[in-house]
Amino acid sequence: MYRIQTLNNISPLGLDRFPRNLYEVASELSRPDAVMVRSADMHGLDLDDTIKAIGRAGAGVNNIPVDRMSERGVPVFNAPGANANAVKELVLAGLFLAARNIVQAWDYVQKLDDSEPGLKKKVEAGKKQFKGVELPGRTIGVVGLGAIGVKVANTARDLGMNVLGYDPGITVSNAWRLHAGVEQALSVDELLSRSDFVSIHVPLVEATENLIDAKRLRLMRQQAVLLNFSRAEIVDEAAVLEALDADKLSSYVCDFPTMASKNHPKVVSLPHLGASTDEAEDNCAVMVADQIRDYLEVGNVRNSVNFPETIMPPTDGAHRICIVNANVPNMVGQISSTLARHELNIADLINKSRNQIAYTLVDVDTEADEAVLEEIRGIEGVLSVRYLNAVSERSS
Ligand SMILES: NC(=O)C1=CN([C@@H]2O[C@H](COP(=O)(O)OP(=O)(O)OC[C@H]3O[C@@H](n4cnc5c(N)ncnc54)[C@H](O)[C@@H]3O)[C@@H](O)[C@H]2O)C=CC1
Ligand SMILES: O=C(O)CCC(=O)C(=O)O
């Protein structure tokens, strides 16, 4: 039996991917083989050494100690693109909220408590405070053209906006998906200085912390709107509040409320709602559950943020050894000579690497005993070894 621990509410559609004759799934569970998580902060947790995989039912992995897991030889999976449409739709909602001052206008109406004739007068008198702008012809800058950024950029083009995009690491497939009318900005600074709206869609990593700081805010157009549905730490919030107070920015729309910003009249903050749709929660949970199963049962790696993509169809009747090791020379040589010493014939082998990690799947014709596995574990640089007896293609 494999044991899956859930650290957040995960869509039942995803959890149902684990057949209960093979899996126990629970939030309170000791010695898990894998953990499924959404936004729970795992950095401070004492993570059991039985954990073989972590699945993030979402995109961002800043809540997971990825480096610590890599050192242990544990892959971290996420669900690329599975919640991108949900986030895009909320960003668009944010764009409209800001362009037409809808939240402030709504609030104004809520506070009108006069009798009917007085109300009408106040409605007409008050509305001039909330005059907005239309989107066609305005410029939006999209920082980060990944799964979400591309969708935001393309929809903004469809709305008639001029779109500037900045992403030095854009993938070929995302470049193919991008509307031909999206103009490439050569730097964040250029994008900020040319945009009426700026939407941030980068992961939170060391290089993106405070990406939008006081200096960069000064480059922005007068009365620009900043949207942040990525992570709070990517924006220097104190500097944003100053820019709002100085009338430099007209609005900050974000998915990350803080005590300092949540009641500011020019801040619209939502409770980390970007991925909270039925569809996104189902998509993420199903994708990640399937990836965890494929890793636990077959050894394959799909959509990991720290491991190389490694897929090898199981050899009929073979036994599989899954080895995670440091990405240094002569590891495969040492592994195969150990197998040879134990008279194990290799039916198939794949070796992939990514940064400091290398991953090897070896199918052997006959059963491997504990002695050979221990010997492989003893090779310097080997981080983890798993043995899948009579491996077969995962049943769906
Ligand atoms: N509010 C919410 O509920 C959600 C928030 N997110 C956040 O959005 C982020 C992006 O999500 P996806 O688009 O799905 O990820 P993704 O991995 O598909 O795209 C991220 C893109 O950012 C680019 N990038 C990285 N550093 C950059 C930099 N310094 N400047 C410009 N581009 C840079 C990468 O090259 C990549 O193309 C996630 O990491 C997460 O933090 C994601 C989903 C839901
Ligand atoms: O699971 C959630 O609701 C958060 C989604 C998110 O922030 C992400 O996927 O990066």
Side-chain angles (χ1 to χ4, degrees), residues 10-17 20 282 285:
I10 306 286
S11 150
L13 218 61
L15 299 183
D16 284 350
R17 307 293 284 195
R20 294 309 194 260
D282 290 348

Side-chain angles (χ1 to χ4, degrees), residues 37-39 56-62 83 87 229-231 256 272-276 281 284:
V37 62
R38 282 175 61 182
S39 298
R56 193 330 181 177
V61 290
N62 54 293
N83 58 23
V87 182
F229 285 78
S230 279
R231 287 293 180 262
F256 314 100
H272 197 177
L273 216 50
S276 295
E281 291 185 4
C284 289

